[in-house]
PDB file of all heavy atoms in Angstrom:
ATOM      1  N   ASN A 391      48.660  55.361 150.829  1.00 97.00           N
ATOM      2  CA  ASN A 391      49.506  56.516 151.164  1.00 97.00           C
ATOM      3  C   ASN A 391      49.234  57.714 150.253  1.00 97.00           C
ATOM      4  O   ASN A 391      49.087  58.839 150.723  1.00 97.00           O
ATOM      5  CB  ASN A 391      50.987  56.107 151.057  1.00 97.00           C
ATOM      6  CG  ASN A 391      51.482  55.393 152.319  1.00 97.00           C
ATOM      7  OD1 ASN A 391      50.766  55.296 153.296  1.00 97.00           O
ATOM      8  ND2 ASN A 391      52.723  54.923 152.273  1.00 97.00           N
ATOM      9  N   ALA A 392      49.214  57.467 148.950  1.00 96.00           N
ATOM     10  CA  ALA A 392      49.022  58.571 148.018  1.00 96.00           C
ATOM     11  C   ALA A 392      47.667  59.251 148.210  1.00 96.00           C
ATOM     12  O   ALA A 392      47.561  60.486 148.173  1.00 96.00           O
ATOM     13  CB  ALA A 392      49.185  58.072 146.578  1.00 96.00           C
ATOM     14  N   LEU A 393      46.635  58.449 148.438  1.00 96.00           N
ATOM     15  CA  LEU A 393      45.295  58.984 148.623  1.00 96.00           C
ATOM     16  C   LEU A 393      45.199  59.840 149.886  1.00 96.00           C
ATOM     17  O   LEU A 393      44.760  61.006 149.856  1.00 96.00           O
ATOM     18  CB  LEU A 393      44.274  57.843 148.698  1.00 96.00           C
ATOM     19  CG  LEU A 393      42.843  58.238 149.068  1.00 96.00           C
ATOM     20  CD1 LEU A 393      42.216  59.096 147.972  1.00 96.00           C
ATOM     21  CD2 LEU A 393      41.987  57.014 149.351  1.00 96.00           C
ATOM     22  N   ILE A 394      45.652  59.295 151.004  1.00 97.00           N
ATOM     23  CA  ILE A 394      45.501  59.984 152.300  1.00 97.00           C
ATOM     24  C   ILE A 394      46.424  61.191 152.367  1.00 97.00           C
ATOM     25  O   ILE A 394      46.006  62.313 152.656  1.00 97.00           O
ATOM     26  CB  ILE A 394      45.765  59.005 153.454  1.00 97.00           C
ATOM     27  CG1 ILE A 394      44.722  57.885 153.463  1.00 97.00           C
ATOM     28  CG2 ILE A 394      45.758  59.766 154.792  1.00 97.00           C
ATOM     29  CD1 ILE A 394      43.304  58.346 153.586  1.00 97.00           C
ATOM     30  N   TYR A 395      47.718  60.977 152.139  1.00 97.00           N
ATOM     31  CA  TYR A 395      48.651  62.106 152.262  1.00 97.00           C
ATOM     32  C   TYR A 395      48.442  63.140 151.151  1.00 97.00           C
ATOM     33  O   TYR A 395      48.677  64.312 151.357  1.00 97.00           O
ATOM     34  CB  TYR A 395      50.085  61.570 152.235  1.00 97.00           C
ATOM     35  CG  TYR A 395      50.443  60.747 153.449  1.00 97.00           C
ATOM     36  CD1 TYR A 395      50.961  59.468 153.336  1.00 97.00           C
ATOM     37  CD2 TYR A 395      50.250  61.234 154.742  1.00 97.00           C
ATOM     38  CE1 TYR A 395      51.260  58.708 154.452  1.00 97.00           C
ATOM     39  CE2 TYR A 395      50.571  60.496 155.865  1.00 97.00           C
ATOM     40  CZ  TYR A 395      51.072  59.215 155.704  1.00 97.00           C
ATOM     41  OH  TYR A 395      51.366  58.474 156.817  1.00 97.00           O
ATOM     42  N   GLY A 396      47.967  62.665 150.020  1.00 95.00           N
ATOM     43  CA  GLY A 396      47.705  63.601 148.930  1.00 95.00           C
ATOM     44  C   GLY A 396      46.468  64.452 149.182  1.00 95.00           C
ATOM     45  O   GLY A 396      46.498  65.674 149.035  1.00 95.00           O
ATOM     46  N   LYS A 397      45.376  63.844 149.591  1.00 94.00           N
ATOM     47  CA  LYS A 397      44.111  64.546 149.796  1.00 94.00           C
ATOM     48  C   LYS A 397      44.098  65.416 151.058  1.00 94.00           C
ATOM     49  O   LYS A 397      43.637  66.544 151.055  1.00 94.00           O
ATOM     50  CB  LYS A 397      42.952  63.551 149.837  1.00 94.00           C
ATOM     51  CG  LYS A 397      42.634  62.890 148.495  1.00 94.00           C
ATOM     52  CD  LYS A 397      41.902  63.851 147.583  1.00 94.00           C
ATOM     53  CE  LYS A 397      41.440  63.123 146.319  1.00 94.00           C
ATOM     54  NZ  LYS A 397      40.712  64.045 145.418  1.00 94.00           N
ATOM     55  N   ILE A 398      44.614  64.802 152.163  1.00 95.00           N
ATOM     56  CA  ILE A 398      44.514  65.518 153.443  1.00 95.00           C
ATOM     57  C   ILE A 398      45.659  66.511 153.615  1.00 95.00           C
ATOM     58  O   ILE A 398      45.438  67.662 154.035  1.00 95.00           O
ATOM     59  CB  ILE A 398      44.491  64.521 154.632  1.00 95.00           C
ATOM     60  CG1 ILE A 398      43.284  63.597 154.515  1.00 95.00           C
ATOM     61  CG2 ILE A 398      44.483  65.265 155.960  1.00 95.00           C
ATOM     62  CD1 ILE A 398      43.205  62.535 155.591  1.00 95.00           C
ATOM     63  N   LEU A 399      46.894  66.095 153.326  1.00 96.00           N
ATOM     64  CA  LEU A 399      48.050  66.944 153.556  1.00 96.00           C
ATOM     65  C   LEU A 399      48.597  67.577 152.279  1.00 96.00           C
ATOM     66  O   LEU A 399      49.578  68.329 152.340  1.00 96.00           O
ATOM     67  CB  LEU A 399      49.159  66.140 154.254  1.00 96.00           C
ATOM     68  CG  LEU A 399      48.755  65.490 155.594  1.00 96.00           C
ATOM     69  CD1 LEU A 399      49.958  64.831 156.233  1.00 96.00           C
ATOM     70  CD2 LEU A 399      48.142  66.494 156.554  1.00 96.00           C
ATOM     71  N   GLU A 400      48.005  67.214 151.149  1.00 96.00           N
ATOM     72  CA  GLU A 400      48.387  67.773 149.851  1.00 96.00           C
ATOM     73  C   GLU A 400      49.838  67.518 149.504  1.00 96.00           C
ATOM     74  O   GLU A 400      50.540  68.363 148.918  1.00 96.00           O
ATOM     75  CB  GLU A 400      48.086  69.289 149.815  1.00 96.00           C
ATOM     76  CG  GLU A 400      46.600  69.595 150.003  1.00 96.00           C
ATOM     77  CD  GLU A 400      46.300  71.096 149.900  1.00 96.00           C
ATOM     78  OE1 GLU A 400      47.260  71.903 149.920  1.00 96.00           O
ATOM     79  OE2 GLU A 400      45.103  71.439 149.792  1.00 96.00           O
ATOM     80  N   TYR A 401      50.312  66.301 149.847  1.00 96.00           N
ATOM     81  CA  TYR A 401      51.651  65.905 149.446  1.00 96.00           C
ATOM     82  C   TYR A 401      51.636  65.450 148.003  1.00 96.00           C
ATOM     83  O   TYR A 401      50.767  64.690 147.595  1.00 96.00           O
ATOM     84  CB  TYR A 401      52.172  64.747 150.301  1.00 96.00           C
ATOM     85  CG  TYR A 401      52.512  65.100 151.751  1.00 96.00           C
ATOM     86  CD1 TYR A 401      52.874  64.109 152.656  1.00 96.00           C
ATOM     87  CD2 TYR A 401      52.456  66.434 152.219  1.00 96.00           C
ATOM     88  CE1 TYR A 401      53.165  64.420 153.982  1.00 96.00           C
ATOM     89  CE2 TYR A 401      52.761  66.752 153.526  1.00 96.00           C
ATOM     90  CZ  TYR A 401      53.102  65.751 154.390  1.00 96.00           C
ATOM     91  OH  TYR A 401      53.414  66.056 155.702  1.00 96.00           O
ATOM     92  N   GLY A 402      52.614  65.886 147.246  1.00 95.00           N
ATOM     93  CA  GLY A 402      52.746  65.454 145.860  1.00 95.00           C
ATOM     94  C   GLY A 402      53.569  64.177 145.736  1.00 95.00           C
ATOM     95  O   GLY A 402      54.105  63.674 146.722  1.00 95.00           O
ATOM     96  N   GLU A 403      53.679  63.678 144.527  1.00 94.00           N
ATOM     97  CA  GLU A 403      54.421  62.436 144.288  1.00 94.00           C
ATOM     98  C   GLU A 403      55.870  62.545 144.752  1.00 94.00           C
ATOM     99  O   GLU A 403      56.424  61.602 145.315  1.00 94.00           O
ATOM    100  CB  GLU A 403      54.350  62.072 142.796  1.00 94.00           C
ATOM    101  CG  GLU A 403      52.986  61.592 142.336  1.00 94.00           C
ATOM    102  CD  GLU A 403      52.986  61.148 140.890  1.00 94.00           C
ATOM    103  OE1 GLU A 403      54.109  60.871 140.359  1.00 94.00           O
ATOM    104  OE2 GLU A 403      51.914  61.065 140.292  1.00 94.00           O
ATOM    105  N   GLU A 404      56.498  63.659 144.470  1.00 95.00           N
ATOM    106  CA  GLU A 404      57.895  63.827 144.835  1.00 95.00           C
ATOM    107  C   GLU A 404      58.095  63.799 146.343  1.00 95.00           C
ATOM    108  O   GLU A 404      59.018  63.165 146.848  1.00 95.00           O
ATOM    109  CB  GLU A 404      58.421  65.167 144.266  1.00 95.00           C
ATOM    110  CG  GLU A 404      59.922  65.340 144.410  1.00 95.00           C
ATOM    111  CD  GLU A 404      60.425  66.610 143.724  1.00 95.00           C
ATOM    112  OE1 GLU A 404      59.782  67.037 142.735  1.00 95.00           O
ATOM    113  OE2 GLU A 404      61.441  67.143 144.209  1.00 95.00           O
TER     114      GLU A 404
END
Side-chain angles (χ1 to χ4, degrees):
N391 278 355
L393 173 66
I394 297 301
Y395 293 126
K397 289 285 186 179
I398 299 177
L399 303 185
E400 298 183 347
Y401 290 174
E403 289 185 18
E404 188 175 332

